[in-house]
Amino acid sequence: MIIDFHTHLCLKGSPATRESVSPILTQAKRHGIEKLVVLGDVVRYGVTPNRDEIRAINDDTLTLMGWFPGVVIGFCHLNPLHDKAFLKEETERCITCNGMRGIKLEIAVNGSDRRVNPVLELAEALNVPLLQHAWDTTIIGNRRHQTDPADVAVMARRFPRVNIVMAHLTACGLRGVQTIRDFPNIYTDTSGSQPFSGIVEYAVGKLGVDRILYGSDIPIRDFPSQLGRVLGANIEPGQKEQILQHNAERLLGLSDNRV
Ligand SMILES: [Zn+2]
């Protein structure tokens, strides 16, 4: 069984429909991907979604969880610029009451900004992983909010008991791997970019295989190219299994039969 730790399923700017999502799940099954972490349509409303927009993105994910139980694992998307009361209310709604298993942050605020701390406090209190969009540059378009590996390291140092997933291993690059190496609470997902040879092997060597999670970023990328990065890597078959399945199971708490 493969678990895809980084998917959006729907990035159309409109609510997901069974018709738009089912073909993707059929493809996933054909590749042996039986569970997908769905992070939501996080760019639907731009960089800083308001409360209603955050609720709408998370409602969409909850709908997908309802349509495809046991397959779709939802993460709660948040904008750290919202007040603590709303952040708590939304995580209670999505995680405590409706079974989402993590928190997703995009580019509303750089991850090292102290305004992100309340979100990390919630992740710690709820004991769920936080997946932070990351890239090897803090500039995206004309904005400087994008989180880079050094920013993820700042988050991890402030909150050593929160498991943080630095998204996009290849985009974070060799420097990114070196930056997070000494932070055992930072994981990385393999999603996005082209499957350059050598990067997975490098990450396994520096981080250990336990901290690497397979992800695709579908529908931005396709399954074959993203799986190829792991399946074609020059590592042991058992290590590939850990990246494709077991590390995600452990981080998501799937062995406790909640999904
Ligand atoms: Zn993504």
Side-chain angles (χ1 to χ4, degrees), residues 29 52 91 159 161 181 190:
K29 205 168 172 58
D52 287 343
T91 51
F159 290 87
R161 286 186 293 279
R181 181 172 56 184
T190 60

Side-chain angles (χ1 to χ4, degrees), residues 26 55 57 68-69 101 132 149 158 172 178 200-201 228 248-249:
T26 303
R55 283 196 198 98
I57 292 167
F68 306 102
R101 285 177 176 262
Q132 170 67 63
R158 281 186 192 143
C172 291
Q178 291 163 15
V200 169
E201 292 88 333
E249 281 178 328

Side-chain angles (χ1 to χ4, degrees), residues 2 6 21 26 37 44 71 87-89 112 122 127 130 146 151 156 200 253:
I2 298 172
H6 190 133
V21 170
T26 303
V37 171
R44 182 188 298 174
V71 175
L87 295 171
K88 190 163 189 291
E89 176 191 309
S112 64
L122 285 166
N127 192 26
L130 182 148
Q146 189 164 242
D151 299 316
V200 169

Side-chain angles (χ1 to χ4, degrees), residues 29-180:
K29 205 168 172 58
R30 205 180 302 145
H31 290 291
I33 300 166
E34 294 185 16
K35 295 182 188 293
L36 301 92
V37 171
V38 174
L39 305 170
D41 189 353
V42 293
V43 293
R44 182 188 298 174
Y45 301 108
V47 174
T48 54
N50 65 30
R51 295 175 186 205
D52 287 343
E53 291 165 344
I54 284 286
R55 283 196 198 98
I57 292 167
N58 289 330
D59 281 348
D60 221 23
T61 302
L62 289 169
T63 299
L64 290 167
M65 289 167 66
W67 283 343
F68 306 102
V71 175
V72 168
I73 298 166
F75 269 35
C76 176
H77 181 44
L78 294 174
N79 175 354
L81 296 175
H82 291 146
D83 60 83
K84 279 187 187 180
F86 176 74
L87 295 171
K88 190 163 189 291
E89 176 191 309
E90 189 62 359
T91 51
E92 269 173 13
R93 182 175 84 93
C94 294
I95 298 172
T96 313
C97 299
N98 285 298
M100 288 195 191
R101 285 177 176 262
I103 293 171
K104 159 69 169 162
L105 294 181
E106 189 70 13
I107 54 171
V109 182
N110 182 293
S112 64
D113 191 310
R114 287 193 180 275
R115 289 174 294 179
V116 179
N117 287 2
V119 177
L120 284 151
E121 286 165 10
L122 285 166
E124 182 166 347
L126 294 164
N127 192 26
V128 293
L130 182 148
L131 193 149
Q132 170 67 63
H133 169 83
W135 213 261
D136 69 351
T137 167
T138 55
I139 299 168
I140 182 168
N142 59 359
R143 295 175 181 271
R144 290 171 181 267
H145 290 162
Q146 189 164 242
T147 299
D148 79 1
D151 299 316
V152 179
V154 170
M155 299 166 83
R157 192 189 296 276
R158 281 186 192 143
F159 290 87
R161 286 186 293 279
V162 177
N163 289 319
I164 300 169
V165 180
M166 178 184 81
H168 308 312
L169 167 65
T170 301
C172 291
L174 305 186
R175 183 180 67 93
V177 171
Q178 291 163 15
T179 302
I180 66 169

